[in-house]
Short mmCIF file of all heavy atoms in Angstrom, two decimals:
data_model
loop_
_atom_site.label_atom_id
_atom_site.label_comp_id
_atom_site.label_asym_id
_atom_site.label_seq_id
_atom_site.Cartn_x
_atom_site.Cartn_y
_atom_site.Cartn_z
N ASN A 342 -9.16 5.84 -5.91
CA ASN A 342 -8.45 6.53 -7.00
C ASN A 342 -8.89 7.99 -7.10
O ASN A 342 -8.89 8.57 -8.18
CB ASN A 342 -8.65 5.82 -8.34
CG ASN A 342 -7.51 6.09 -9.31
OD1 ASN A 342 -6.44 6.56 -8.92
ND2 ASN A 342 -7.73 5.81 -10.58
N LEU A 351 -0.66 0.94 -5.40
CA LEU A 351 -2.00 0.45 -5.12
C LEU A 351 -2.39 -0.46 -6.27
O LEU A 351 -2.40 -0.03 -7.43
CB LEU A 351 -2.98 1.62 -5.05
CG LEU A 351 -3.30 2.20 -3.67
CD1 LEU A 351 -4.07 3.49 -3.82
CD2 LEU A 351 -4.09 1.20 -2.86
N LEU A 352 -2.72 -1.70 -5.96
CA LEU A 352 -3.00 -2.68 -7.00
C LEU A 352 -4.45 -3.15 -6.93
O LEU A 352 -4.98 -3.40 -5.85
CB LEU A 352 -2.07 -3.90 -6.86
CG LEU A 352 -0.56 -3.64 -6.90
CD1 LEU A 352 0.19 -4.95 -6.69
CD2 LEU A 352 -0.15 -2.99 -8.21
N LEU A 353 -5.06 -3.26 -8.08
CA LEU A 353 -6.36 -3.89 -8.22
C LEU A 353 -6.20 -5.01 -9.24
O LEU A 353 -5.82 -4.75 -10.38
CB LEU A 353 -7.42 -2.88 -8.70
CG LEU A 353 -8.81 -3.45 -9.02
CD1 LEU A 353 -9.45 -4.03 -7.77
CD2 LEU A 353 -9.70 -2.38 -9.64
N GLN A 354 -6.42 -6.24 -8.80
CA GLN A 354 -6.19 -7.40 -9.66
C GLN A 354 -4.76 -7.39 -10.23
O GLN A 354 -4.55 -7.59 -11.43
CB GLN A 354 -7.22 -7.45 -10.78
CG GLN A 354 -8.64 -7.60 -10.30
CD GLN A 354 -9.65 -7.70 -11.43
OE1 GLN A 354 -9.31 -7.88 -12.58
NE2 GLN A 354 -10.92 -7.55 -11.09
N ASN A 355 -3.79 -7.11 -9.35
CA ASN A 355 -2.36 -7.11 -9.69
C ASN A 355 -1.99 -6.08 -10.75
O ASN A 355 -1.00 -6.23 -11.46
CB ASN A 355 -1.91 -8.51 -10.16
CG ASN A 355 -2.02 -9.54 -9.05
OD1 ASN A 355 -1.64 -9.27 -7.91
ND2 ASN A 355 -2.56 -10.71 -9.38
N ARG A 356 -2.77 -5.02 -10.83
CA ARG A 356 -2.51 -3.95 -11.79
C ARG A 356 -2.67 -2.62 -11.08
O ARG A 356 -3.65 -2.40 -10.37
CB ARG A 356 -3.51 -4.07 -12.94
CG ARG A 356 -3.44 -3.01 -14.01
CD ARG A 356 -4.46 -3.41 -15.08
NE ARG A 356 -4.90 -2.31 -15.90
CZ ARG A 356 -6.00 -2.33 -16.65
NH1 ARG A 356 -6.78 -3.41 -16.65
NH2 ARG A 356 -6.33 -1.30 -17.39
N GLU A 357 -1.68 -1.74 -11.23
CA GLU A 357 -1.73 -0.45 -10.56
C GLU A 357 -3.00 0.31 -10.96
O GLU A 357 -3.33 0.38 -12.15
CB GLU A 357 -0.49 0.38 -10.89
CG GLU A 357 0.78 -0.15 -10.25
CD GLU A 357 1.93 0.84 -10.39
OE1 GLU A 357 1.74 2.03 -10.06
OE2 GLU A 357 3.02 0.42 -10.83
N ILE A 358 -3.67 0.89 -9.98
CA ILE A 358 -4.95 1.53 -10.28
C ILE A 358 -4.78 2.75 -11.18
O ILE A 358 -5.71 3.15 -11.88
CB ILE A 358 -5.75 1.88 -9.01
CG1 ILE A 358 -5.03 2.95 -8.18
CG2 ILE A 358 -6.03 0.65 -8.17
CD1 ILE A 358 -5.89 3.49 -7.06
N SER A 359 -3.59 3.34 -11.17
CA SER A 359 -3.34 4.48 -12.04
C SER A 359 -3.37 4.08 -13.52
O SER A 359 -3.49 4.94 -14.40
CB SER A 359 -1.99 5.12 -11.71
OG SER A 359 -0.93 4.19 -11.87
N ARG A 360 -3.27 2.78 -13.79
CA ARG A 360 -3.28 2.29 -15.17
C ARG A 360 -4.68 1.88 -15.64
O ARG A 360 -4.84 1.42 -16.76
CB ARG A 360 -2.31 1.12 -15.32
CG ARG A 360 -0.85 1.50 -15.03
CD ARG A 360 0.08 0.31 -15.22
NE ARG A 360 1.46 0.68 -14.96
CZ ARG A 360 2.28 1.21 -15.86
NH1 ARG A 360 1.85 1.42 -17.09
NH2 ARG A 360 3.52 1.53 -15.55
N TRP A 361 -5.67 2.02 -14.76
CA TRP A 361 -7.04 1.71 -15.13
C TRP A 361 -7.69 2.95 -15.71
O TRP A 361 -7.53 4.06 -15.19
CB TRP A 361 -7.85 1.25 -13.91
CG TRP A 361 -7.49 -0.11 -13.39
CD1 TRP A 361 -6.37 -0.44 -12.68
CD2 TRP A 361 -8.25 -1.31 -13.52
NE1 TRP A 361 -6.39 -1.78 -12.35
CE2 TRP A 361 -7.54 -2.34 -12.85
CE3 TRP A 361 -9.46 -1.60 -14.12
CZ2 TRP A 361 -8.00 -3.64 -12.78
CZ3 TRP A 361 -9.93 -2.91 -14.05
CH2 TRP A 361 -9.20 -3.91 -13.39
N GLY A 362 -8.49 2.80 -16.75
CA GLY A 362 -9.32 3.89 -17.23
C GLY A 362 -10.42 4.19 -16.23
O GLY A 362 -10.80 3.31 -15.44
N SER A 363 -10.94 5.41 -16.23
CA SER A 363 -11.89 5.81 -15.20
C SER A 363 -13.17 4.97 -15.23
O SER A 363 -13.65 4.50 -14.19
CB SER A 363 -12.24 7.30 -15.34
OG SER A 363 -12.76 7.57 -16.62
N ARG A 364 -13.75 4.75 -16.40
CA ARG A 364 -14.97 3.94 -16.48
C ARG A 364 -14.67 2.47 -16.24
O ARG A 364 -15.47 1.75 -15.62
CB ARG A 364 -15.64 4.15 -17.83
CG ARG A 364 -16.37 5.49 -17.94
CD ARG A 364 -16.96 5.72 -19.29
NE ARG A 364 -17.93 4.68 -19.65
CZ ARG A 364 -18.48 4.59 -20.85
NH1 ARG A 364 -18.15 5.44 -21.81
NH2 ARG A 364 -19.35 3.63 -21.10
N GLU A 365 -13.52 2.01 -16.70
CA GLU A 365 -13.11 0.62 -16.45
C GLU A 365 -12.95 0.39 -14.95
O GLU A 365 -13.38 -0.64 -14.42
CB GLU A 365 -11.80 0.36 -17.19
CG GLU A 365 -11.27 -1.05 -17.06
CD GLU A 365 -9.87 -1.20 -17.66
OE1 GLU A 365 -9.13 -0.20 -17.72
OE2 GLU A 365 -9.54 -2.34 -18.04
N PHE A 366 -12.33 1.35 -14.26
CA PHE A 366 -12.14 1.24 -12.82
C PHE A 366 -13.48 1.25 -12.09
O PHE A 366 -13.69 0.51 -11.12
CB PHE A 366 -11.25 2.39 -12.33
CG PHE A 366 -10.91 2.33 -10.87
CD1 PHE A 366 -9.97 1.45 -10.39
CD2 PHE A 366 -11.55 3.18 -9.96
CE1 PHE A 366 -9.65 1.40 -9.03
CE2 PHE A 366 -11.25 3.14 -8.61
CZ PHE A 366 -10.29 2.25 -8.15
N ALA A 367 -14.41 2.10 -12.57
CA ALA A 367 -15.71 2.22 -11.93
C ALA A 367 -16.53 0.94 -12.03
O ALA A 367 -17.44 0.72 -11.24
CB ALA A 367 -16.49 3.39 -12.54
N ARG A 368 -16.22 0.09 -13.00
CA ARG A 368 -16.92 -1.19 -13.10
C ARG A 368 -16.46 -2.16 -12.02
O ARG A 368 -17.13 -3.15 -11.74
CB ARG A 368 -16.69 -1.81 -14.47
CG ARG A 368 -17.31 -1.01 -15.61
CD ARG A 368 -16.84 -1.51 -16.94
NE ARG A 368 -17.20 -0.59 -18.02
CZ ARG A 368 -16.67 -0.58 -19.22
NH1 ARG A 368 -15.73 -1.48 -19.53
NH2 ARG A 368 -17.05 0.29 -20.13
N GLU A 369 -15.31 -1.86 -11.41
CA GLU A 369 -14.76 -2.70 -10.35
C GLU A 369 -14.96 -2.09 -8.97
O GLU A 369 -15.16 -2.82 -7.99
CB GLU A 369 -13.26 -2.92 -10.59
CG GLU A 369 -12.91 -3.64 -11.88
CD GLU A 369 -13.30 -5.11 -11.85
OE1 GLU A 369 -13.32 -5.69 -10.75
OE2 GLU A 369 -13.59 -5.67 -12.92
N VAL A 370 -14.89 -0.76 -8.88
CA VAL A 370 -14.90 -0.08 -7.58
C VAL A 370 -15.89 1.08 -7.62
O VAL A 370 -15.81 1.95 -8.50
CB VAL A 370 -13.50 0.47 -7.24
CG1 VAL A 370 -13.53 1.21 -5.90
CG2 VAL A 370 -12.48 -0.67 -7.19
N ARG A 450 -17.48 -4.63 -7.96
CA ARG A 450 -17.16 -5.71 -7.02
C ARG A 450 -16.82 -5.18 -5.64
O ARG A 450 -16.90 -5.92 -4.66
CB ARG A 450 -16.00 -6.53 -7.55
CG ARG A 450 -16.29 -7.21 -8.88
CD ARG A 450 -15.35 -8.37 -9.13
NE ARG A 450 -13.97 -7.98 -8.95
CZ ARG A 450 -13.00 -8.82 -8.57
NH1 ARG A 450 -13.29 -10.07 -8.27
NH2 ARG A 450 -11.75 -8.40 -8.44
#
Side-chain angles (χ1 to χ4, degrees):
N342 205 16
L351 265 170
L352 302 178
L353 174 64
Q354 298 182 13
N355 296 316
R356 177 176 158 198
E357 289 191 50
I358 65 170
S359 59
R360 298 181 179 273
W361 288 75
S363 58
R364 284 177 59 187
E365 182 188 25
F366 183 76
R368 294 170 192 163
E369 298 289 331
V370 179
R450 298 200 310 151

